[in-house]
Amino acid sequence: MSRFYTSLEWLEEKAGNYFKRGTGFGNTFFNPHAKIVGFDALQQAWEPHWWCNPPFDLKEPFIAKAAAEARAGNPGMMLLPYEPLTGWWQQGIEGVAAAVYEPDGRYNFLKTDGVTQKKGVNFGSVFVLFTPGYFPITQRIRFKRGIAEDLTINFRETLEVAA
């Protein structure tokens, strides 16, 4: 993705590492062609076909924003913890989102170096599709993880070749 929003805290941390070590954004995978277009995604209009990986402790306001953007004609997808029995899920996802894509297992979360696995991630996550329209039933779509490898897609290598 060539345009994104970030938090000031993330940028300050990464820029601080840049100036301390003089090594770009350290080990963080960062698209050098990307353009930061805002610092508070909840206050900005989102572009159609957005992607959102919200801070999970702020998932509810991001879900509300995603639904509002979809109603305005800007569809997109969000990564969320899979917690269908919770109140926030029942209110913000069921009958609001068009579809929930359920992987065949849990994803491993990585630290910002892109290699080291985070410890203690004990929940599953799903991709939630928000599109314009009314959905009395949010569809569930199961899929097999690893399709990028099956299609020989490697985003990181693509960026390295383009640079």
Side-chain angles (χ1 to χ4, degrees):
M1 180 154 259
S2 61
R3 297 167 50 89
F4 68 98
Y5 305 105
T6 189
S7 69
L8 284 173
E9 294 82 13
W10 184 89
L11 188 62
E12 287 169 355
E13 175 188 333
K14 300 306 170 197
N17 289 339
Y18 171 77
F19 291 118
K20 286 178 192 170
R21 297 196 309 244
T23 57
F25 283 97
N27 293 326
T28 301
F29 175 61
F30 184 79
N31 178 353
H33 307 290
K35 178 180 179 185
I36 297 171
V37 295
F39 293 105
D40 186 348
L42 296 174
Q43 301 302 317
Q44 310 275 336
W46 294 358
E47 295 180 14
H49 311 294
W50 48 264
W51 160 255
C52 182
N53 181 359
F56 288 167
D57 59 338
L58 296 175
K59 62 187 164 284
E60 292 178 77
F62 274 89
I63 291 168
K65 176 68 171 172
E69 289 295 326
R71 284 191 303 273
N74 300 327
M77 188 168 281
M78 181 176 286
L79 174 70
L80 289 169
Y82 192 31
E83 299 173 344
L85 300 178
T86 62
W88 67 264
W89 183 279
Q90 292 296 317
Q91 183 178 0
I93 305 299
E94 294 298 338
V96 177
V100 173
Y101 291 85
E102 300 174 338
D104 61 351
R106 291 184 180 175
Y107 282 99
N108 294 319
F109 286 83
L110 303 177
K111 293 188 177 185
T112 57
D113 64 10
V115 177
T116 308
Q117 287 190 11
K118 285 188 175 184
K119 302 287 185 202
V121 178
N122 58 359
F123 55 85
S125 37
V126 292
F127 301 100
V128 180
L129 178 64
F130 291 89
T131 61
Y134 170 70
F135 304 96
I137 298 173
T138 298
Q139 297 297 309
R140 297 298 195 277
I141 301 168
R142 302 273 307 152
F143 71 95
K144 180 182 175 195
R145 293 172 298 149
I147 192 165
E149 290 79 13
D150 292 345
L151 298 175
T152 64
I153 295 171
N154 188 317
F155 184 66
R156 189 177 298 221
E157 286 179 10
T158 302
L159 286 177
E160 290 170 359
V161 169

